[in-house]
């Protein structure tokens, strides 16, 4: 069993920055592909970014490309999402997830999820 805990959410003005963290329990962190998703009220959960097991491969959604960066520290069992030049449309609950099967941009490809952290961007 893998437990994920996100942190770092909050309220930020448009143009500002936040860094989200997701720390996992267990000794198997480095064996999982890790992703970030977000879900705004009334909308489906959408893919934000993914990072491979060793951190050498990353993909990011077009909507955040050039503004968000994903990284991981396998020694700390933690992944990060650095969010810069934030926009009101980035307002959502952000979730990290772990999983190795299926397409990286689909929620059903991930087996474990955190509880989410709320990000609100004011205009």
């Amino acid at each position: 069993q893998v437990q994920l805990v996100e942190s770092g959410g909050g309220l930020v003005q448009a143009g500002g920055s936040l860094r989200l963290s997701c720390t996992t329990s267990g000794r198997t962190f480095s064996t999982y592909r890790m992703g970030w998703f977000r879900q705004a009220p009334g909308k489906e959960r959408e893919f934000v970014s993914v990072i491979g097991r060793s951190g050498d491969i990353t993909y990011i959604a077009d909507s955040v490309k050039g503004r968000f960066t994903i990284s991981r520290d396998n020694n700390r069992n933690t992944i990060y999402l650095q969010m810069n030049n934030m926009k009101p449309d980035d307002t959502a609950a952000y979730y990290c997830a772990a999983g190795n099967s299926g397409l990286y941009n689909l929620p059903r490809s991930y087996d474990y999820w955190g509880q989410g952290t709320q990000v609100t961007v004011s205009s």
Side-chain angles (χ1 to χ4, degrees):
Q1 187 75 8
V2 177
Q3 294 183 325
L4 312 176
V5 179
E6 302 99 336
S7 61
L11 174 65
V12 64
Q13 289 187 332
S17 299
L18 282 176
R19 188 177 80 155
L20 304 183
S21 300
C22 172
T23 300
T24 69
S25 63
R27 302 178 181 177
T28 59
F29 173 76
S30 62
T31 67
Y32 285 99
R33 175 182 66 186
M34 299 294 296
W36 285 101
F37 289 77
R38 66 185 183 185
Q39 188 167 17
K43 295 187 177 181
E44 295 186 352
R45 191 165 296 190
E46 67 170 351
F47 167 76
V48 176
S49 190
V50 65
I51 189 164
R53 290 183 285 270
S54 63
D56 57 340
I57 297 175
T58 62
Y59 295 101
I60 197 154
D62 288 342
S63 59
V64 303
K65 192 170 293 182
R67 301 188 296 119
F68 290 13
T69 303
I70 190 171
S71 61
R72 71 188 292 163
D73 184 342
N74 285 347
N75 291 323
R76 296 178 183 270
N77 286 3
T78 301
I79 65 168
Y80 305 94
L81 185 68
Q82 178 66 44
M83 305 184 292
N84 298 327
N85 190 22
M86 297 184 72
K87 304 175 180 180
D89 284 349
D90 296 323
T91 296
Y94 283 71
Y95 300 88
C96 66
N100 289 327
S101 60
L103 297 175
Y104 64 83
N105 60 332
L106 298 179
R108 66 173 180 261
S109 299
Y110 294 80
D111 301 310
Y112 303 101
W113 292 84
Q115 82 290 350
T117 185
Q118 179 65 36
V119 171
T120 303
V121 184
S122 63
S123 58

